[in-house]
Amino acid sequence: MIMRIKQGEKELLEVLAQRYYQDIFRFCWYRTGSEEAAWECTQETFLHMIRFLGSYKDRNRFKAWLLAIAVNVCTDYFRGREAAPVDEGMMEELPAEENQFHRAEERDRVFKALNCLPQYQKEAVILRFYYDMKVREIAGITGVGVPTAKSRLRQGMEKLKGIFESGEGI
């Protein structure tokens, strides 16, 4: 599809955006802690996708490439701002199966705990556990070496464990 877009079938851009919109929005939502900020960052990510699609090399890693753009857009969003506080009603709006109150409650606790992590650890944890990325992929998306990505993931998980054990902030 990307090859066809590069050859001039611009109407396929919408199909491509629809295919990845939810994943990118969800990442931006977890990363920013705000629905409004997530929407802005998602839109910006897809504008960057359109602008730089010509430089994408087809390696069957489009989602990783798009997530790397989202990481950069979210980082730019936070420049000069403090991290957004958790929107208390946000987790209720995420898709949840009926009669799954405890699952939604647990998801809310996880989300709040994630917001206690530094952004670089939060990114690593989200990419690993919400997007099932391998450490090497996380390193590529975030623009760091594999040892650094591994360290960020390990430190983030240790901090999350401490947060859950102490109950602080959640």
Side-chain angles (χ1 to χ4, degrees):
M1 184 181 324
I2 294 168
M3 184 74 72
R4 290 172 56 195
I5 292 170
K6 286 181 177 183
Q7 292 172 348
E9 293 184 53
K10 300 297 182 192
E11 64 277 1
L12 292 176
L13 282 168
E14 185 176 341
V15 175
L16 193 61
Q18 287 176 351
R19 180 177 293 168
Y20 294 101
Y21 189 88
Q22 287 301 320
D23 284 332
I24 299 303
F25 180 79
R26 189 175 299 113
F27 173 81
C28 293
W29 195 339
Y30 285 131
R31 179 74 177 359
T32 64
S34 161
E35 183 177 4
E36 184 177 325
W39 186 86
E40 287 178 37
C41 289
T42 301
Q43 297 305 313
E44 189 67 25
T45 297
F46 283 102
L47 288 174
H48 279 73
M49 176 202 77
I50 291 167
R51 187 177 199 190
F52 298 108
L53 192 61
S55 67
Y56 173 73
K57 306 283 188 250
D58 189 20
R59 296 182 214 136
N60 295 323
R61 296 179 27 91
F62 184 75
K63 186 175 177 180
W65 182 75
L66 200 53
L67 281 166
I69 293 172
V71 164
N72 291 331
V73 167
C74 289
T75 299
D76 289 345
Y77 176 82
F78 282 116
R79 287 208 172 114
R81 295 182 172 146
E82 290 185 28
V86 176
D87 178 351
E88 294 296 330
M90 185 167 98
M91 292 307 292
E92 295 169 14
E93 296 174 28
L94 288 176
E97 295 177 14
E98 219 171 342
N99 299 322
Q100 297 279 336
F101 176 75
H102 295 294
R103 253 181 110 183
E105 190 174 70
E106 184 64 24
R107 219 181 4 236
D108 189 39
R109 288 182 67 229
V110 170
F111 185 78
K112 287 178 181 179
L114 280 170
N115 277 333
C116 294
L117 297 179
Q119 290 300 328
Y120 59 90
Q121 291 173 356
K122 184 178 179 180
E123 284 173 353
V125 171
I126 290 170
L127 291 170
R128 175 66 189 101
F129 294 102
Y130 286 88
Y131 292 91
D132 201 28
M133 299 273 175
K134 296 188 178 358
V135 173
R136 185 178 311 281
E137 293 173 307
I138 294 168
I141 288 169
T142 58
V144 299
V146 171
T148 301
K150 197 178 289 188
S151 174
R152 288 177 176 182
L153 183 58
R154 182 183 47 75
Q155 290 172 355
M157 292 307 295
E158 287 172 1
K159 284 182 183 174
L160 285 175
K161 182 181 176 186
I163 289 167
F164 281 115
E165 287 174 355
S166 70
E168 286 182 38
I170 57 172

